[in-house]
Amino acid sequence: MTSVKQALVVRGGWDGHVPVAATNRYVTALKADGYAVTVSGTLDSYLDEELLAATDLVVQCWTMGEITGPQAEGLSQAVGAGTGLAGWHGGIVDAFRAETRYQMMTGGQFVHHAREFTTFEVRPVPEKADHPVLAGGIKPFTVTTEQYYLHVDPAIEVLAVTGYGPDPDHPELLGTPVPVTWTRHWGAGRVFVTTLGHSLADLEVPEVDTMIRKGMAWATR
């Protein structure tokens, strides 16, 4: 008999990324896929060793904010021991800007976006077409939303990219290749990240929704 997968959704931080509404969308999806889901509005969940040891997937949506050293270490150790971690946009790569231990685990960190929304093409990496997150034939697609410029870890596995768009504050960056979706291994655990998902409308883009759903499945222990 297959045991039920356990997911922990940790949400909070800046309200502009609608952490409750955004995660509710994927709580519903996880439950439909047979997960048992616990929802938390506190980073102290990362101090609960028993909870984390029993968790197969952490979905985090917590933009900015501050995380304590013990909280960051608790999450890092849990992922290193096999708990998966997944998230989108600022909820995972614009979280806890001062905590480099956290950034090491996620493999990337937001540093800038243009003042206005940008229309840009997201291009799956052809050589990664067989990766479970892309399997099924995700084709290049266009979105109009907040485009993240990032500092990234060279050890990540990049699955989709874009060219940085027009930005009056930084015209020198035009066309710079920027990762959009990636995965990485952290000890025994898997981490999935996409920088898309600023708004609920972004999450409803079929390709974005598919990558997030498949990314959560891939990251699960």
Side-chain angles (χ1 to χ4, degrees):
M1 183 177 179
T2 303
S3 61
V4 175
K5 293 294 185 181
Q6 303 290 323
L8 171 64
V9 175
V10 180
R11 63 193 189 188
W14 183 57
D15 287 338
H17 284 154
V18 291
V20 172
T23 53
N24 279 349
R25 176 184 181 88
Y26 292 104
V27 167
T28 300
L30 288 165
K31 288 181 176 178
D33 288 338
Y35 288 72
V37 182
T38 300
V39 177
S40 171
T42 174
L43 297 174
D44 282 342
S45 294
Y46 296 153
L47 301 176
D48 190 332
E49 295 181 12
E50 184 176 352
L51 172 65
L52 292 175
T55 297
D56 300 298
L57 174 68
V58 173
V59 177
Q60 181 184 279
C61 187
W62 198 294
T63 303
M64 294 182 281
E66 296 181 2
I67 192 169
T68 68
Q71 289 167 343
E73 187 63 22
L75 177 60
S76 178
Q77 289 185 358
V79 176
T83 297
L85 175 64
W88 54 88
H89 199 60
I92 194 164
V93 289
D94 189 18
F96 326 132
R97 294 178 180 179
E99 184 49 74
T100 55
R101 285 174 294 183
Y102 173 81
Q103 295 161 20
M104 284 283 290
M105 179 177 56
T106 58
Q109 173 62 35
F110 159 83
V111 292
H112 178 72
H113 63 70
R115 286 174 283 174
E116 305 294 335
F117 280 5
T118 304
T119 298
F120 57 99
E121 184 181 56
V122 178
R123 302 184 299 276
V125 176
E127 295 80 7
K128 303 297 181 181
D130 292 334
H131 192 285
V133 172
L134 300 178
I138 293 180
K139 305 298 183 184
F141 62 97
T142 300
V143 291
T144 300
T145 188
E146 199 172 73
Q147 185 183 34
Y148 273 8
Y149 195 85
L150 306 140
H151 289 168
V152 296
D153 187 329
I156 62 175
E157 182 177 16
V158 179
L159 304 182
V161 299
T162 190
Y164 192 68
D167 183 344
D169 294 321
H170 289 284
E172 71 281 2
L173 297 178
L174 182 64
T176 301
V178 181
V180 172
T181 302
W182 68 83
T183 59
R184 73 165 306 151
H185 289 82
W186 186 254
R190 294 176 171 187
V191 179
F192 164 81
V193 173
T194 185
T195 64
L196 302 170
H198 173 75
S199 67
L200 289 177
D202 293 347
L203 299 176
E204 292 167 359
V205 174
E207 294 88 348
V208 177
D209 182 63
T210 296
M211 284 194 294
I212 291 173
R213 290 175 185 243
K214 290 185 173 183
M216 293 189 302
W218 176 86
T220 299
R221 189 197 311 270

